[in-house]
Amino acid sequence: MRNLILVLFAFTSFSAIAQLKESNDYTQLLDQKYGEAERNTFDIIMPQSTKPVALVIFIHGGGFQFGDKKKAYDRKDEIQYYLSNNTAFATINYSFYKSDDSLGVQVCLDDVQRAIQYFKFNADQYNIDKTKVACYGVSAGAGASLYFALNDDLADVNAQGLKAESTKIVCAGAIHTQATYNVYKWKKFIPYLGAVQTLKHKMFYNYAATFYGYPDKKSIKPYRKEIAAKYDMLTMVDVNDPPIYLLNPLKGNFPKDFNIIFHHKKHAKVMAKELEKKNVEYYCFTDAQENDSKYPIQQFIIDKLSL
């Protein structure tokens, strides 16, 4: 059954790519490299233009442990919208984290950072306006988009070349996002999560440790607060941050499984509250129908890239 699902997924993704290839109005490059790691790969679709165009980067989900850039092709209507608005579209893979390297999710975020800087450094090659780059994604890809939208510029001012490129983006879209990657904070705003953690203490805290690259809760304990604070997007928010789009329409409230814990509506609402407090432009939707009828994410991104 698993093999059948994989075959169907591959066929669906291939079909979506094939449909996109039918037009002569753009160029598509598949399985290109932005770095040396095995999963440092991307696809890019570029509209024909005599002038540099904006770029949208899609970051797939999967808990930073699985997933693939092909997932972007499930969103074919969004891709067509970007292309029709003279905007290039890229979808990236990134390395998955390990539970025993003392790096954890940082490995994933380093790859996303490298991808952003790669496109900016090679802007002429892809006919991109590097001052107009946006990121969006689902779940882990959503959180990664927020991380770079809200973080300080991570460019290395002492470097030359790719590492000297700015990591700042024009806007970020976050679908089924997490508000913060300080996972110990989640119990403060997700209803009943504190009680669930008490009942499943070892499971939750061991998971948290592996997320940061440690094998268990005991090994990370001396460094836990310091490490988790580095990934707290809620504390990164300031008035200079770019516009943010939040969409967490999951109906579940009680945190009975990881899906609800990771994608709870409260993630979007808590982030929205912090953005409001710091006077950052944002749009927050926790109902899918409301989003569809009011302001689709692709329209938001194009609106901000067009300014």
Side-chain angles (χ1 to χ4, degrees), residues 63-133:
F64 296 111
Q65 293 181 295
F66 58 92
D68 193 271
K69 59 184 171 63
K70 292 178 183 177
K71 196 65 178 173
Y73 299 110
D74 291 348
R75 316 184 76 86
K76 185 166 62 72
D77 290 345
E78 293 174 17
I79 298 174
Q80 295 286 11
Y81 186 85
Y82 300 131
L83 295 173
S84 66
N85 281 277
N86 208 36
T87 298
F89 178 86
T91 176
I92 66 170
N93 277 337
Y94 50 84
S95 302
F96 301 140
Y97 75 78
K98 299 177 181 178
S99 61
D100 58 358
D101 61 1
S102 301
L103 293 172
V105 72
Q106 186 63 53
V107 171
C108 317
L109 296 172
D110 284 348
D111 278 3
V112 176
Q113 175 178 332
R114 182 173 182 82
I116 294 170
Q117 292 176 308
Y118 172 87
F119 287 121
K120 291 188 176 186
F121 184 68
N122 294 284
D124 290 344
Q125 177 181 344
Y126 299 107
N127 196 31
I128 292 168
D129 180 347
K130 68 179 181 179
T131 67
K132 294 187 175 183
V133 176

Side-chain angles (χ1 to χ4, degrees), residues 183-184 202-214 220 224:
V183 299
Y184 305 107
K202 185 176 181 180
M203 181 186 76
F204 178 83
Y205 283 92
N206 280 342
Y207 162 77
T210 62
F211 184 71
Y212 300 120
Y214 290 79
I220 197 177
R224 194 180 84 180

Side-chain angles (χ1 to χ4, degrees), residues 236-254:
M236 297 176 186
V237 179
D238 67 48
V239 68
N240 297 312
D241 288 330
I244 303 293
Y245 186 105
L246 304 163
L247 174 61
N248 276 41
L250 195 67
K251 292 182 178 180
N253 188 54
F254 185 81

Side-chain angles (χ1 to χ4, degrees), residues 9-270:
F9 171 76
F11 177 78
T12 301
S13 299
F14 176 80
S15 297
I17 296 170
Q19 290 177 35
L20 287 167
K21 283 183 176 177
E22 289 176 1
S23 173
N24 294 319
D25 296 331
Y26 49 79
T27 300
Q28 184 170 25
L29 302 175
L30 303 177
D31 298 319
Q32 305 297 295
K33 295 287 289 185
Y34 65 83
E36 296 180 359
E38 180 181 357
R39 286 184 52 81
N40 286 174
T41 59
F42 70 92
D43 299 347
I44 187 168
I45 312 170
M46 300 162 288
Q48 299 295 333
S49 176
T50 57
K51 297 180 180 179
V53 299
L55 171 68
V56 177
I57 302 172
F58 179 84
I59 309 169
H60 70 78
F64 296 111
Q65 293 181 295
F66 58 92
D68 193 271
K69 59 184 171 63
K70 292 178 183 177
K71 196 65 178 173
Y73 299 110
D74 291 348
R75 316 184 76 86
K76 185 166 62 72
D77 290 345
E78 293 174 17
I79 298 174
Q80 295 286 11
Y81 186 85
Y82 300 131
L83 295 173
S84 66
N85 281 277
N86 208 36
T87 298
F89 178 86
T91 176
I92 66 170
N93 277 337
Y94 50 84
S95 302
F96 301 140
Y97 75 78
K98 299 177 181 178
S99 61
D100 58 358
D101 61 1
S102 301
L103 293 172
V105 72
Q106 186 63 53
V107 171
C108 317
L109 296 172
D110 284 348
D111 278 3
V112 176
Q113 175 178 332
R114 182 173 182 82
I116 294 170
Q117 292 176 308
Y118 172 87
F119 287 121
K120 291 188 176 186
F121 184 68
N122 294 284
D124 290 344
Q125 177 181 344
Y126 299 107
N127 196 31
I128 292 168
D129 180 347
K130 68 179 181 179
T131 67
K132 294 187 175 183
V133 176
C135 290
Y136 83 121
V138 178
S139 191
S145 297
L146 290 181
Y147 179 84
F148 287 100
L150 303 176
N151 212 333
D152 294 334
D153 195 335
L154 299 176
D156 185 344
V157 296
N158 297 314
Q160 293 183 340
L162 185 148
K163 291 185 177 180
E165 292 289 346
S166 171
T167 60
K168 297 302 288 182
I169 54 180
V170 171
C171 64
I175 304 167
H176 300 301
T177 192
Q178 298 79 50
T180 172
Y181 284 140
N182 179 344
V183 299
Y184 305 107
K185 259 189 178 182
W186 292 358
K187 66 181 180 181
K188 294 183 178 181
F189 56 82
I190 297 178
Y192 312 111
L193 183 56
V196 171
Q197 286 182 13
T198 300
L199 293 171
K200 299 185 177 182
H201 181 87
K202 185 176 181 180
M203 181 186 76
F204 178 83
Y205 283 92
N206 280 342
Y207 162 77
T210 62
F211 184 71
Y212 300 120
Y214 290 79
D216 53 49
K217 64 175 185 175
K218 183 178 180 180
S219 59
I220 197 177
K221 189 174 181 180
Y223 324 106
R224 194 180 84 180
K225 289 184 179 179
E226 178 183 355
I227 291 172
K230 288 170 51 180
Y231 303 102
D232 189 354
M233 290 92 82
L234 291 169
T235 64
M236 297 176 186
V237 179
D238 67 48
V239 68
N240 297 312
D241 288 330
I244 303 293
Y245 186 105
L246 304 163
L247 174 61
N248 276 41
L250 195 67
K251 292 182 178 180
N253 188 54
F254 185 81
K256 63 182 181 180
D257 55 42
F258 278 127
N259 182 44
I260 295 176
I261 293 171
F262 292 167
H263 309 129
H264 202 284
K265 291 181 181 182
K266 281 289 188 177
H267 283 292
K269 290 182 177 180
V270 167

